[in-house]
Amino acid sequence: MDKTRQSRRDGGITALVEGFFGAAWFGWGHVAPPAWLDPWLTAGSVVALLVAIAGAVVGFSSPASTAALNNRASGRRYGIIVGVEFGLAGAGAALLGVFGQPDYIPVWICAVVGVHFLPLAPVLRDRNLIPLGILVTATAVAALVVGLTTSAAPSTITGVGAGLSLSSFGVLALVGALRQPR
């Protein structure tokens, strides 16, 4: 097994996670979308969940011994990165709520999620996390600008942008996993 590439299991689990969170972001986009966008957000959620289900089937039917997190050091690094992500996301969301800016909570969380993909890329042996991180972070910046300058809800912008990005990269991970030997 090439230690610089994702295994079939890793690709499947990546598709599971990215599909699941893609659906969650599309769901968050439902907070205040224009009426015409609502069915598209629902369709995006359904497609993202199908990606997640397919990823789960591929990932969990592949040997666990091939996973990037199959050693203690990688698991520890992963835990630290995700722990810092959750801490920053929660603290920022709390502060935005306290200061009366709850509409910008999805912007903050989207930015934190985008940035967290960058240090995860080498841990998970997934170089696709770098462009995904850039896209999700850019979505947060766009949502901030659009939220400050128009009447569009920041949650709509983050929902569409992060949902599309995560779901698309979930499909790429699934295709990559299916190309790997069993």
mmCIF file of all heavy atoms in Angstrom, residues 26-39 41 153 155-156 160:
data_model
loop_
_atom_site.group_PDB
_atom_site.id
_atom_site.type_symbol
_atom_site.label_atom_id
_atom_site.label_comp_id
_atom_site.label_asym_id
_atom_site.label_seq_id
_atom_site.Cartn_x
_atom_site.Cartn_y
_atom_site.Cartn_z
ATOM 1 N N PHE A 26 -26.196 21.959 3.049
ATOM 2 C CA PHE A 26 -27.392 22.260 2.250
ATOM 3 C C PHE A 26 -28.583 22.497 3.174
ATOM 4 O O PHE A 26 -29.408 23.372 2.930
ATOM 5 C CB PHE A 26 -27.710 21.122 1.272
ATOM 6 C CG PHE A 26 -26.853 21.096 0.040
ATOM 7 C CD1 PHE A 26 -26.189 19.932 -0.333
ATOM 8 C CD2 PHE A 26 -26.721 22.211 -0.779
ATOM 9 C CE1 PHE A 26 -25.415 19.878 -1.483
ATOM 10 C CE2 PHE A 26 -25.952 22.178 -1.937
ATOM 11 C CZ PHE A 26 -25.293 20.996 -2.288
ATOM 12 N N GLY A 27 -28.658 21.725 4.240
ATOM 13 C CA GLY A 27 -29.729 21.916 5.216
ATOM 14 C C GLY A 27 -29.651 23.277 5.878
ATOM 15 O O GLY A 27 -30.674 23.951 6.071
ATOM 16 N N TRP A 28 -28.447 23.694 6.244
ATOM 17 C CA TRP A 28 -28.276 25.009 6.861
ATOM 18 C C TRP A 28 -28.674 26.115 5.886
ATOM 19 O O TRP A 28 -29.179 27.162 6.271
ATOM 20 C CB TRP A 28 -26.844 25.200 7.326
ATOM 21 C CG TRP A 28 -26.683 26.129 8.489
ATOM 22 C CD1 TRP A 28 -27.577 27.058 8.951
ATOM 23 C CD2 TRP A 28 -25.561 26.227 9.340
ATOM 24 N NE1 TRP A 28 -27.064 27.720 10.023
ATOM 25 C CE2 TRP A 28 -25.817 27.224 10.295
ATOM 26 C CE3 TRP A 28 -24.337 25.564 9.387
ATOM 27 C CZ2 TRP A 28 -24.913 27.578 11.286
ATOM 28 C CZ3 TRP A 28 -23.438 25.915 10.381
ATOM 29 C CH2 TRP A 28 -23.727 26.915 11.317
ATOM 30 N N GLY A 29 -28.489 25.855 4.604
ATOM 31 C CA GLY A 29 -28.890 26.816 3.585
ATOM 32 C C GLY A 29 -30.396 27.040 3.528
ATOM 33 O O GLY A 29 -30.870 28.031 2.981
ATOM 34 N N HIS A 30 -31.165 26.126 4.118
ATOM 35 C CA HIS A 30 -32.630 26.233 4.147
ATOM 36 C C HIS A 30 -33.136 27.282 5.135
ATOM 37 O O HIS A 30 -34.336 27.530 5.196
ATOM 38 C CB HIS A 30 -33.259 24.888 4.532
ATOM 39 C CG HIS A 30 -33.429 23.938 3.403
ATOM 40 N ND1 HIS A 30 -34.381 24.087 2.426
ATOM 41 C CD2 HIS A 30 -32.755 22.799 3.097
ATOM 42 C CE1 HIS A 30 -34.292 23.087 1.577
ATOM 43 N NE2 HIS A 30 -33.312 22.296 1.954
ATOM 44 N N VAL A 31 -32.269 27.891 5.915
ATOM 45 C CA VAL A 31 -32.712 28.845 6.936
ATOM 46 C C VAL A 31 -33.491 30.009 6.325
ATOM 47 O O VAL A 31 -34.546 30.375 6.828
ATOM 48 C CB VAL A 31 -31.518 29.349 7.784
ATOM 49 C CG1 VAL A 31 -31.922 30.502 8.678
ATOM 50 C CG2 VAL A 31 -30.937 28.205 8.597
ATOM 51 N N ALA A 32 -32.996 30.603 5.262
ATOM 52 C CA ALA A 32 -33.671 31.772 4.683
ATOM 53 C C ALA A 32 -33.388 31.925 3.190
ATOM 54 O O ALA A 32 -33.010 32.999 2.735
ATOM 55 C CB ALA A 32 -33.245 33.031 5.429
ATOM 56 N N PRO A 33 -33.585 30.865 2.401
ATOM 57 C CA PRO A 33 -33.271 30.991 0.977
ATOM 58 C C PRO A 33 -34.416 31.642 0.213
ATOM 59 O O PRO A 33 -35.560 31.654 0.677
ATOM 60 C CB PRO A 33 -33.119 29.536 0.544
ATOM 61 C CG PRO A 33 -34.133 28.820 1.373
ATOM 62 C CD PRO A 33 -34.066 29.525 2.728
ATOM 63 N N PRO A 34 -34.120 32.151 -0.981
ATOM 64 C CA PRO A 34 -35.229 32.569 -1.837
ATOM 65 C C PRO A 34 -36.031 31.312 -2.217
ATOM 66 O O PRO A 34 -35.482 30.200 -2.254
ATOM 67 C CB PRO A 34 -34.533 33.179 -3.061
ATOM 68 C CG PRO A 34 -33.111 32.769 -2.980
ATOM 69 C CD PRO A 34 -32.813 32.368 -1.578
ATOM 70 N N ALA A 35 -37.311 31.474 -2.477
ATOM 71 C CA ALA A 35 -38.197 30.332 -2.726
ATOM 72 C C ALA A 35 -37.700 29.431 -3.854
ATOM 73 O O ALA A 35 -37.790 28.203 -3.763
ATOM 74 C CB ALA A 35 -39.609 30.830 -3.024
ATOM 75 N N TRP A 36 -37.138 30.006 -4.901
ATOM 76 C CA TRP A 36 -36.692 29.209 -6.039
ATOM 77 C C TRP A 36 -35.530 28.278 -5.691
ATOM 78 O O TRP A 36 -35.309 27.261 -6.349
ATOM 79 C CB TRP A 36 -36.303 30.103 -7.228
ATOM 80 C CG TRP A 36 -35.106 30.981 -6.960
ATOM 81 C CD1 TRP A 36 -35.127 32.257 -6.491
ATOM 82 C CD2 TRP A 36 -33.729 30.630 -7.110
ATOM 83 N NE1 TRP A 36 -33.846 32.739 -6.340
ATOM 84 C CE2 TRP A 36 -32.964 31.751 -6.723
ATOM 85 C CE3 TRP A 36 -33.065 29.486 -7.543
ATOM 86 C CZ2 TRP A 36 -31.573 31.751 -6.748
ATOM 87 C CZ3 TRP A 36 -31.673 29.496 -7.570
ATOM 88 C CH2 TRP A 36 -30.944 30.610 -7.178
ATOM 89 N N LEU A 37 -34.763 28.629 -4.652
ATOM 90 C CA LEU A 37 -33.583 27.844 -4.292
ATOM 91 C C LEU A 37 -33.925 26.659 -3.395
ATOM 92 O O LEU A 37 -33.193 25.669 -3.366
ATOM 93 C CB LEU A 37 -32.550 28.756 -3.600
ATOM 94 C CG LEU A 37 -31.196 28.156 -3.272
ATOM 95 C CD1 LEU A 37 -30.500 27.611 -4.514
ATOM 96 C CD2 LEU A 37 -30.329 29.199 -2.583
ATOM 97 N N ASP A 38 -35.030 26.739 -2.690
ATOM 98 C CA ASP A 38 -35.388 25.705 -1.718
ATOM 99 C C ASP A 38 -35.377 24.282 -2.290
ATOM 100 O O ASP A 38 -34.753 23.394 -1.704
ATOM 101 C CB ASP A 38 -36.737 26.057 -1.089
ATOM 102 C CG ASP A 38 -36.948 25.380 0.233
ATOM 103 O OD1 ASP A 38 -36.081 25.536 1.122
ATOM 104 O OD2 ASP A 38 -37.970 24.689 0.369
ATOM 105 N N PRO A 39 -36.038 24.028 -3.433
ATOM 106 C CA PRO A 39 -35.994 22.649 -3.952
ATOM 107 C C PRO A 39 -34.597 22.202 -4.371
ATOM 108 O O PRO A 39 -34.265 21.021 -4.276
ATOM 109 C CB PRO A 39 -36.954 22.659 -5.149
ATOM 110 C CG PRO A 39 -37.313 24.070 -5.403
ATOM 111 C CD PRO A 39 -36.909 24.890 -4.218
ATOM 112 N N LEU A 41 -31.799 23.091 -2.848
ATOM 113 C CA LEU A 41 -31.112 22.727 -1.598
ATOM 114 C C LEU A 41 -31.534 21.335 -1.147
ATOM 115 O O LEU A 41 -30.710 20.541 -0.687
ATOM 116 C CB LEU A 41 -31.405 23.763 -0.509
ATOM 117 C CG LEU A 41 -30.769 25.134 -0.719
ATOM 118 C CD1 LEU A 41 -31.378 26.157 0.232
ATOM 119 C CD2 LEU A 41 -29.266 25.058 -0.549
ATOM 120 N N ALA A 153 -29.150 35.994 2.960
ATOM 121 C CA ALA A 153 -28.729 35.419 4.244
ATOM 122 C C ALA A 153 -27.366 34.750 4.089
ATOM 123 O O ALA A 153 -27.162 33.972 3.150
ATOM 124 C CB ALA A 153 -29.750 34.407 4.727
ATOM 125 N N SER A 155 -26.272 32.321 5.669
ATOM 126 C CA SER A 155 -26.468 30.865 5.720
ATOM 127 C C SER A 155 -26.820 30.290 4.354
ATOM 128 O O SER A 155 -26.479 29.139 4.057
ATOM 129 C CB SER A 155 -27.555 30.503 6.731
ATOM 130 O OG SER A 155 -28.797 31.073 6.355
ATOM 131 N N THR A 156 -27.473 31.073 3.522
ATOM 132 C CA THR A 156 -27.791 30.606 2.170
ATOM 133 C C THR A 156 -26.515 30.458 1.358
ATOM 134 O O THR A 156 -26.316 29.445 0.679
ATOM 135 C CB THR A 156 -28.761 31.584 1.468
ATOM 136 O OG1 THR A 156 -29.957 31.676 2.239
ATOM 137 C CG2 THR A 156 -29.084 31.119 0.060
ATOM 138 N N VAL A 160 -25.071 26.767 0.187
ATOM 139 C CA VAL A 160 -24.861 26.393 -1.217
ATOM 140 C C VAL A 160 -23.381 26.115 -1.485
ATOM 141 O O VAL A 160 -23.025 25.073 -2.041
ATOM 142 C CB VAL A 160 -25.388 27.491 -2.169
ATOM 143 C CG1 VAL A 160 -24.968 27.221 -3.609
ATOM 144 C CG2 VAL A 160 -26.904 27.602 -2.063
#
